[in-house]
Amino acid sequence: MRSEFQYRRPASIDEAVAMKADLGTTAMYWAGGTDMVLHWMRSIHSPELCIDITRIEGLRGIEIDRDSIRIGAMTSLDELDRSADRHCLLNTLSDITKLMCTPQTRTIATVGGNLCNASPAADLSPAFVAMNADAVLAGPKGRRRVRMEEFFLGVNKTSLSGGELLEEIRIPLNPDLKVVASYRRIDRTVVDIALVNASSCISVDSDGVINGCGIALGAVAPVILRVSDAETLLLGLSVRELGRDREELQKVEELSAIAAKPISDVRASAEYRRQMVKVMVRRTLQDCAIQLKA
Amino acid sequence: MEVAKRSFDVIGKGVHVKDAREKVTGSLKYAVDMTVQNMAHGKILRCPHPHAKIARIDTRKAEELPGVLGVLTHEDVPQNDWESAWFNYRGKVLDGIGRFVGDDVAAVAAVSSDIAEKAVELIEVEYEPLPHVFDMELARRQDAPTIRVEGNERPPYAVKWGDLQKGEEEAEIIVDCDISYMSQQYAPLGRNACIAEWMSDRVTVWTSSQTPSELRDGIHEALGIPLSKIRVMALPCGSSFGQWWSNNFMLITVLLAKKIRQPAKIELTNEECMSTVKRRHLERTRGRMGCTRDGRITLAEFDHLIDNGGYGFKDDVGFFCVDMWGKAKNGNYAIHGINTNLLTAGCMRGVGDCTLGASVERVADRLAEKVGMDPVEFRILNQITAGDELRMQHSRDNMKGNRDAYIEGIPPHLRKDWPELFCLSSGGTRAILERGASAFRWKDRWKGWAVPHAVDGSLHRGVGVGTGAHVCGVEFEGSSSAVVRINPDGSAKVHCSVGRQGQGSETTQSQVAAEELGLPFEMIEIETGDTDSCPWNHGSLASSTMYRTGWATRAAANDARRQLLEIASREFFDNADIDELDITDGEVHPRAEPKSNRRYSFREVLNELRSETLGQTSSITGRPSVPMPPSTTFARQFGAQFAEVEVDIETGQVKIIDFLAVQDSGTVVNPQVLKNQVIGGAICGSGFALYEHLVFDGETGAIKNANLLDYKLLRCADFPWQAEVLFEEAPDPVGPFGARGAGESPIAATMQSASGLIFP
Ligand SMILES: Cc1cc2nc3c(=O)[nH]c(=O)nc-3n(C[C@H](O)[C@H](O)[C@H](O)COP(=O)(O)OP(=O)(O)OC[C@H]3O[C@@H](n4cnc5c(N)ncnc54)[C@H](O)[C@@H]3O)c2cc1C
């Protein structure tokens, strides 16, 4: 049966984390509520306290400066969608949001909620991992930064602890490099959860040599996987090689498929998922190559 | 038989559906929205085993929970069988045996649904597990566990015609098939609920249903109380596709309310709607078809299995799909219904069409491929047109009844004006195929079998064609009736219990009545759910509503019109023959003088019946004088559909890029409503062709994707927005104003058009 809970609406981060620290796991943050309400209705979570963080100042919005993009945790998917022309990485993120939920749900669902819900199939998570982003966590004892790939610990499990709240996501930028990213997923209908997804992020120097690379896979393990050994293979390559049939690329696909630990479930078989990891990774890299050419 | 087209005032107009405003403003009341005073909330305890007998059931703990009003178990239930329309359920309301995971075991009533839910968990049941079987091939074996007293399989629905050996000899090419189908879920977007309230020994039931009269019959059978003591007030059910007819949870609600002596409501959750009511059958077709080198089919043989789950009892699916290819002189088909320990299966929109029909289409296409023929031409060559003989069961020697007796049963005076028996009454696929092929530019776009017409990397595009046919109801369903009442103020009300499943029949039936009465559409309202005011009606199912109920509505309106004209003749037109009078825009006038100022409104005519002294007013009630004659079985509706589909050959993802449908439903009563039927059917059909299927647990048979996250319905945006629908209107000699049926042929045609072009 569904739990009964109290509802509070703190005005500041400090107030919110104090409330949560007091009650531990029986208290839950409410961002857009789109995941949380379903979990509560199915008794996956039975909170005694619901902490509404929608009114806290400063948790919302996107800022760009020389060396990072900052996305507040309470930024709605719809806001992210509308930020496409502000940066090429935001353009990629905006494209991702268009695949997510429905237009109505996107106006209330938040970026932070998508990450904190820690679904291995979530659409934004692999992109942030590939982009080398950090999660900024605010807790009763202050702030700390966690690398995105370390933020996810398992299905619906994150490294948030002791009352901590996700405050923002920071994507690092290097003004000397050109950076692009891409995301691909296998879905069946316009509203779907990814059966498999992948994201790549490539930075190149002025000579077109790959200087940074992130490849992340979703829905093929309990957490988002980062394929570091595949990433290193691409470093130092010229971007012109990315679109071609090169041995390195095949190796990247294979290493990704090896890294994947998919399961069979009602949505797809493990075998299909492993096969699709290769296709998705190849396509994200091809997308990056096309963007870099433009 | 050719029927001349005539011009109409209301028929053929795209008037808005009557409840459009309520729907878009959210004020239309469905059963979940209903409450009655002092109502208890019920919850059903569900069987956790695929097959088990209740050895002991202890309800004391549940009853002791504060707020609980009572518990219903099989021990409280009369052990009578009841039957839902079209053999979709046969059994007792509760009989102490669970036949699938999720089957009804007991029910609790409490002051709140939360308490009822908690109390359900407190019922202690000791189950004695019985051997179970999920696979229908295993279920038909001698040593299979018995699921039903009648046996898991009964004699098949079987038809044979011509000389099979000759057909085989004449065939120069033969193609075999063995095709299995997964199970589609109705997946309605609306949930359902049922409220029952007893007053003394009479019960009133509110629920969302397409078949109010059938539900009343079911309650009568299950409880053994007179029909006159049962009133069903069916509410709109939204797009139901056959799910909400009469369902066992409704009967449980009736018994629960009786037990606690208080009104009770059971409201199903989304998951219950998807995993405990019914679904489309799992089906398998084995068979073959043969043709000559010039593409003439000489032989069609099919053996088709359908799994009925725990309580379904059906076998007659999709015979019209074989019929459609009935130019084949020799043939044989048998359809076997088999019970298993899976969720009950029933008639879902396009029952048999999307399976047996799709198999026949697929085999036919393979034949066309082998003889090197265009699939459009192959269909035109081999599919029936008006006047061709139908190959259905009661037309043949081995029919369940007897052909001659059948014919004798039809009064000769009725036969005189009716189309030839056992032959297609009107329409066919030729006209819709030709029209569609030209509008779709089929000849330019089709590049041959398994040849994509465009390739972009891993994206391959091709075009496909499919055809579908469905009956428009059949005569052994009983005689659907309707009543038309003209009120003293000149407005009229139609009473026909066809329910409201969102397809617009409340609107199209009103159009039929308006046309026949000569009354403006706005003056007509309709009652579709109240069995106390409506005569018996089969409901809106089997694509029969326009054809059969429309016939009854027209006949009732005609009877009311006759009565009205008789009064007018007597009071205003010097006892003129009523044939010399006519009605236009709600006014009676001499037929020969449509512009005459001798015009009398309905109100004026009815005023003549008024008692001057008492001031009482009167109304006229019209009803069909004879039931609809049996030759109506021989009408069909046809759809031909053309799709352009894109396949990602690396990932297997499929997208429908372009779509065109041509529909032959006879006279189009309302083009908006019909277009909606065709597009809705096509989306549902392509969903089944591409993604929709239930996942059954291998160990327990339980449904693993009873939610809309993992049960993938196509959304509007998954279907091309520019999809076009064209109509061919071959008028029918029997149907009202030449109209036939519409609901199910559209979904049938989509299967092959959307997936037939995909080669492994
Ligand atoms: C119809 C529908 C379609 C969907 N489609 C998609 C899809 O295509 N792709 C996809 O990835 N997801 C999808 N989702 C899931 C969901 O909408 C997204 O994950 C959404 O971004 C969650 O955000 P929210 O603000 O609603 O989170 P909430 O439900 O409010 O929160 C989710 C969880 O995170 C916690 N939380 C939220 N914010 C914080 C924070 N700042 N700090 C700490 N903890 C926090 C909450 O306590 C809760 O446990 C869909 C959901 C629905 C209902």
Side-chain angles (χ1 to χ4, degrees), chain B residues 435-452:
Chain B
R435 172 102 177 270
S438 133
F440 194 71
R441 293 186 297 100
W442 171 262
K443 283 219 155 25
D444 300 337
R445 290 163 88 171
W446 192 70
K447 302 290 177 209
W449 294 103
V451 184

Side-chain angles (χ1 to χ4, degrees), chain B residues 464-477:
Chain B
V465 61
T467 38
H470 202 91
V471 287
C472 309
V474 293
E475 92 293 347
F476 51 78
E477 71 190 31

Side-chain angles (χ1 to χ4, degrees), chain B residues 53-60 74-75 96 105 123-128:
Chain B
K53 193 172 160 34
I54 299 171
R56 195 182 60 86
I57 183 161
D58 185 343
T59 59
R60 276 172 299 182
H74 62 282
E75 286 155 14
V105 168
I123 301 177
E124 289 171 4
V125 191
E126 206 178 279
Y127 292 98
E128 180 189 308

Side-chain angles (χ1 to χ4, degrees), chain A residues 20 27-39 45 53 59 73-74 77 96 99-102 105 108-119 121-125 151 160 164-167 185 190-194, chain B residues 709 715:
Chain A
K20 168 97 171 128
M28 282 186 82
Y29 292 123
W30 170 291
T34 61
D35 277 320
M36 199 194 128
V37 168
L38 289 179
H39 286 183
H45 289 131
I53 55 173
L59 278 179
M74 287 303 295
L77 299 181
I96 299 175
L99 300 171
M100 296 172 71
C101 319
T102 58
T105 313
I108 49 170
T110 65
V111 173
N114 190 245
L115 300 175
C116 294
N117 186 51
S119 157
D123 288 305
L124 288 173
S125 313
F151 179 72
L160 288 165
E164 276 174 334
L165 170 150
L166 174 65
E167 190 178 350
R185 76 176 200 187
V190 289
V191 179
D192 202 4
I193 294 294
Chain B
L709 172 60
R715 304 253 176 162

Side-chain angles (χ1 to χ4, degrees), chain A residues 42-115:
Chain A
R42 295 198 198 126
S43 300
I44 297 170
H45 289 131
S46 303
E48 283 167 23
L49 173 66
C50 164
I51 308 168
D52 178 351
I53 55 173
T54 54
R55 308 292 172 96
I56 297 178
E57 290 278 327
L59 278 179
R60 193 165 218 140
I62 300 170
E63 283 158 31
I64 309 172
D65 57 29
R66 243 178 84 81
D67 22 65
S68 73
I69 301 174
R70 172 199 169 273
I71 302 174
M74 287 303 295
T75 306
S76 73
L77 299 181
D78 180 55
E79 273 173 85
L80 187 56
D81 182 8
R82 285 183 282 109
S83 70
D85 51 5
R86 295 177 61 191
H87 191 276
C88 126
L89 293 184
L90 289 172
N91 187 37
T92 302
L93 292 171
S94 164
D95 282 346
I96 299 175
T97 60
K98 290 186 174 59
L99 300 171
M100 296 172 71
C101 319
T102 58
Q104 296 94 322
T105 313
R106 292 203 288 268
T107 62
I108 49 170
T110 65
V111 173
N114 190 245
L115 300 175

Side-chain angles (χ1 to χ4, degrees), chain B residues 660-676:
Chain B
L660 172 99
V662 193
Q663 179 71 15
D664 173 17
S665 286
T667 303
V668 177
V669 173
N670 184 323
Q672 301 299 339
V673 165
L674 186 55
K675 181 176 181 187
N676 199 35

